[in-house]
Amino acid sequence: MNTPYQIIVGLEVHVQLMTKTKLFCSCKTVFGAPPNSQVCPICLGMPGVLPVMNEQAFQLGLRAALALNCQIANFTKWDRKNYYYPDLPKNYQISQYDLPFSYEGYLDIDTSSGSRRIGIIRAHLEEDAGKSMHDESGRGGDSKVDLNRTGTPLLEIVSKPDIRSAEDAETYLRELRLLLREIGVSDCEMQEGSLRCDANVNIHILYSSDNGEEIAATPLVEIKNLNSIGSVGRAIQYEAERQYEAFQKDPKNYRFGKLLKTTAGWNEARGMTQVQRHKEEAADYRYFPDPDLVPVVVTAEQIEEVKRSLGELPSQQRTRLQAAPFSLSAYDAQVLTGQGRKMVAYFEEVAKISDPKSACNWLTNEVFASLKERSEEIDQFPIRAPQLGELINEMKQLGIKREKARDVYQKMLAENVDAKTAIDQLGYKPFDDNLLLDLIRKAIEGNRKAVLDYKKGNEKALDRVFGTVMRETKGMGRPDRIKQLLLEEVAKIEA
Ligand code: ZN
Ligand code: MN
């Protein structure tokens, strides 16, 4: 640790589940619909209505929880979390309190210092609140409320305070987003609010007091309004430094439990946290079981069925790509899986036809850039895996150099032709043995002295002759074949 303190972070993530309808009514959940166009008496909190649980929301919650290695409760219930806010028409949120449907899981992340396991305390289901819209122009306009989001299903995922740096927090969020997208639970668009993150941050400081070495812990600060993964990292870094400065001003004040947990907002423009209020405790919400909703029972068969349907998860893919027959580096495996399952499937196909390392290089060096340029997904990409595999093989067989191969690739992409056609049309004729022998004999003629030096035992002397031939082929001759023919020719010469 380079700093005189250790950062301790726990993340609370809310993701919006990809259901067609809300958690307890049949209203749609389309993003960007006109305000208050997706509401009904149930999500508006009218008296006398009866909520009914959305089965699909529960299934998606189960998927996520199992992918996060959570224990699943066989009995779970719904609770009312009571508070008053203009965007919460019922004055309570239906959530899960003491019996969440899942708990005690983990997510493995690949950090710069190796793999780390981040514990998950719990993942529970709850409904979203609406959105207040205030006039921020300062001209005193009315505040408005849009209740379209009210009742939208959310999964709240609470990590253990296992995260030790801003960088690891970002890695955790990227991994979580990738996982939830891959298993079809959420689109995790932070811009649209379908992934929201609060960070609980404090620091542990080793310092010398009258009693000798002691560890002081600063009080927790919960940071809200984090709108991007980058801002989560920046906020944690800022907050840790701020807490350390505050500690240094008055170390005596920092005894465990003396200072209250606070809530702060992250101001991205100013790059700083701003304290908002002291945090409510759970008791302030007067939780109690929702009498309108039946508890949910989950069977072992249901759990097994969901497990079977999950498919290969990103962390499993990373492990598999690093093992034979692919044997990719940890970095390459991370980069490929980070692009999703479709990319991994495409890679595997190319690798099977050609070889894993070349396949990975072509994807990361060329294909990723092309996809970005063309705003395409890999399944829409015109060069299909067999064609890219063929290009890689042709390149090796004909000894086509990288820059030339790139021209072939660009032609394939622009004109939708296969590798052989593109090579033909570009006039990249392979050098057969006869052509190569001509060049080799000429090069031997022109480098008599080097050849004789080589015959006298100076191994390196032949490099010059080899280089001459390579230059003559303009990158179109196979180096291994040239080397072989050259050695054969030189062997025929008397020393
Ligand atoms: Zn509704
Ligand atoms: Mn929540």
Side-chain angles (χ1 to χ4, degrees):
M1 147 167 113
N2 307 317
T3 47
Y5 56 82
Q6 174 66 64
I7 298 180
I8 312 283
V9 179
L11 294 179
E12 235 177 80
V13 171
H14 286 82
V15 290
Q16 191 180 317
L17 302 174
M18 280 203 281
T19 54
K20 290 199 177 68
T21 57
K22 295 186 181 180
L23 189 48
F24 300 113
C25 64
S26 53
C27 289
K28 296 228 175 324
T29 56
V30 180
F31 179 81
N36 301 306
S37 62
Q38 298 178 149
V39 291
C40 75
I42 294 174
C43 54
L44 287 175
M46 299 291 175
V49 294
L50 271 184
V52 176
M53 186 191 77
N54 179 339
E55 185 62 43
Q56 200 210 352
F58 197 86
Q59 283 292 322
L60 291 178
L62 266 184
R63 281 182 84 71
L66 287 168
L68 289 167
N69 309 289
C70 286
Q71 304 293 313
I72 306 297
N74 53 17
F75 177 91
T76 186
K77 66 178 172 69
W78 302 96
D79 299 286
R80 291 186 178 180
K81 180 181 182 178
N82 297 281
Y83 66 99
Y84 170 85
Y85 210 71
D87 63 15
L88 188 74
K90 296 197 294 288
N91 290 338
Y92 62 84
Q93 175 193 28
I94 304 177
S95 180
Q96 301 198 280
Y97 180 48
D98 52 340
L99 295 175
F101 82 96
S102 79
Y103 52 94
E104 273 179 36
Y106 60 85
L107 180 65
D108 288 333
I109 59 170
D110 269 12
T111 71
S112 50
S113 51
S115 181
R116 291 211 53 219
R117 178 159 290 186
I118 308 299
I120 307 285
I121 296 174
R122 59 189 274 161
H124 71 251
L125 287 158
E126 61 185 27
E127 57 176 354
D128 207 347
K131 216 156 55 181
S132 296
M133 295 175 291
H134 304 294
D135 179 24
E136 282 165 5
S137 67
R139 289 192 288 270
D142 293 335
S143 283
K144 296 167 182 165
V145 68
D146 176 6
L147 297 175
N148 279 351
R149 215 174 63 182
T150 314
T152 296
L154 296 179
L155 183 69
E156 179 176 328
I157 303 161
V158 185
S159 91
K160 288 187 183 163
D162 286 348
I163 296 162
R164 292 288 176 271
S165 69
E167 187 199 338
D168 286 2
E170 292 186 32
T171 307
Y172 169 84
L173 287 173
R174 264 187 237 107
E175 181 69 16
L176 186 62
R177 183 175 65 184
L178 174 68
L179 178 72
L180 297 177
R181 281 178 176 167
E182 290 292 299
I183 61 173
V185 161
S186 173
D187 61 20
C188 295
E189 293 292 351
M190 279 185 104
Q191 296 304 319
E192 296 180 2
S194 57
L195 188 155
R196 282 168 256 161
C197 176
D198 301 333
N200 285 295
V201 182
N202 77 337
I203 57 174
H204 288 179
I205 307 149
L206 187 66
Y207 76 109
S208 317
S209 72
D210 305 338
N211 309 323
E213 295 266 275
E214 277 189 64
I215 289 179
T218 55
L220 267 188
V221 174
E222 180 176 353
I223 313 172
K224 297 192 170 281
N225 306 333
L226 297 161
N227 297 323
S228 70
I229 291 182
S231 68
V232 173
R234 286 189 288 279
I236 291 170
Q237 201 58 48
Y238 173 88
E239 184 55 27
E241 284 162 26
R242 188 198 66 74
Q243 290 182 17
Y244 185 60
E245 271 172 39
F247 166 82
Q248 280 180 309
K249 278 184 198 139
D250 189 12
K252 284 207 172 59
N253 208 14
Y254 285 77
R255 292 277 146 77
F256 277 100
K258 197 172 171 194
L259 298 161
L260 283 174
K261 174 176 177 177
T262 50
T263 301
W266 172 246
N267 186 325
E268 181 69 47
R270 298 178 66 183
M272 61 188 292
T273 52
Q274 291 161 320
V275 171
Q276 291 172 333
R277 62 190 155 95
H278 291 288
K279 177 80 178 158
E280 298 86 354
E281 295 301 322
D284 297 326
Y285 290 116
R286 298 296 188 270
Y287 281 96
F288 66 87
D290 192 308
D292 290 340
L293 285 159
V294 286
V296 186
V297 173
V298 185
T299 65
E301 291 77 48
Q302 275 175 292
I303 293 173
E304 280 315 305
E305 200 183 312
V306 174
K307 269 188 186 165
R308 274 196 300 275
S309 73
L310 282 177
E312 193 179 39
L313 304 177
S315 59
Q316 296 166 333
Q317 275 180 337
R318 278 199 299 269
T319 310
R320 189 166 61 83
L321 293 182
Q322 287 174 64
F326 302 110
S327 310
L328 294 183
S329 68
Y331 177 81
D332 283 344
Q334 164 96 3
V335 169
L336 281 180
T337 49
Q339 300 290 315
R341 281 176 183 176
K342 285 176 185 164
M343 185 64 81
V344 172
Y346 183 98
F347 159 77
E348 284 183 49
E349 212 180 327
V350 179
K352 235 178 271 165
I353 299 168
S354 55
D355 72 283
K357 186 63 196 162
S358 307
C360 180
N361 284 345
W362 270 90
L363 286 182
T364 53
N365 292 333
E366 306 295 335
V367 178
F368 286 9
S370 302
L371 290 175
K372 201 165 177 195
E373 225 174 81
R374 302 161 62 96
S375 318
E376 275 174 349
E377 299 286 326
I378 188 67
D379 49 346
Q380 308 162 306
F381 192 54
I383 302 180
R384 302 313 305 152
Q387 295 170 288
L388 187 63
E390 191 196 346
L391 167 63
I392 295 172
N393 285 344
E394 287 291 315
M395 186 178 135
K396 280 191 284 194
Q397 267 163 33
L398 303 181
I400 302 176
K401 278 226 177 140
R402 193 145 195 100
E403 313 87 70
K404 299 255 156 122
R406 199 175 284 144
D407 294 343
V408 178
Y409 167 85
Q410 289 299 346
K411 193 172 176 70
M412 289 168 69
L413 192 52
E415 295 168 24
N416 218 351
V417 291
D418 64 17
K420 282 203 173 87
T421 312
I423 291 167
D424 252 21
Q425 289 180 2
L426 285 169
Y428 291 165
K429 282 275 168 335
F431 280 76
D432 63 16
D433 284 1
N434 286 332
L435 284 171
L436 287 178
L437 277 171
D438 273 356
L439 294 175
I440 288 168
R441 285 176 190 139
K442 267 184 218 152
I444 290 175
E445 272 313 304
N447 292 285
R448 273 273 159 212
K449 189 178 162 344
V451 173
L452 291 176
D453 284 351
Y454 171 77
K455 296 292 260 185
K456 280 179 202 145
N458 180 0
E459 295 261 328
K460 278 208 172 311
L462 207 58
D463 288 356
R464 178 209 284 254
V465 191
F466 174 73
T468 309
V469 182
M470 285 300 289
R471 263 196 308 283
E472 288 296 317
T473 67
K474 297 190 172 65
M476 296 295 301
R478 279 171 53 195
D480 54 339
R481 188 65 186 148
I482 292 172
K483 195 159 269 168
Q484 194 187 345
L485 291 173
L486 175 61
L487 288 174
E488 283 170 19
E489 281 306 296
V490 170
K492 293 176 194 163
I493 297 169
E494 303 270 322

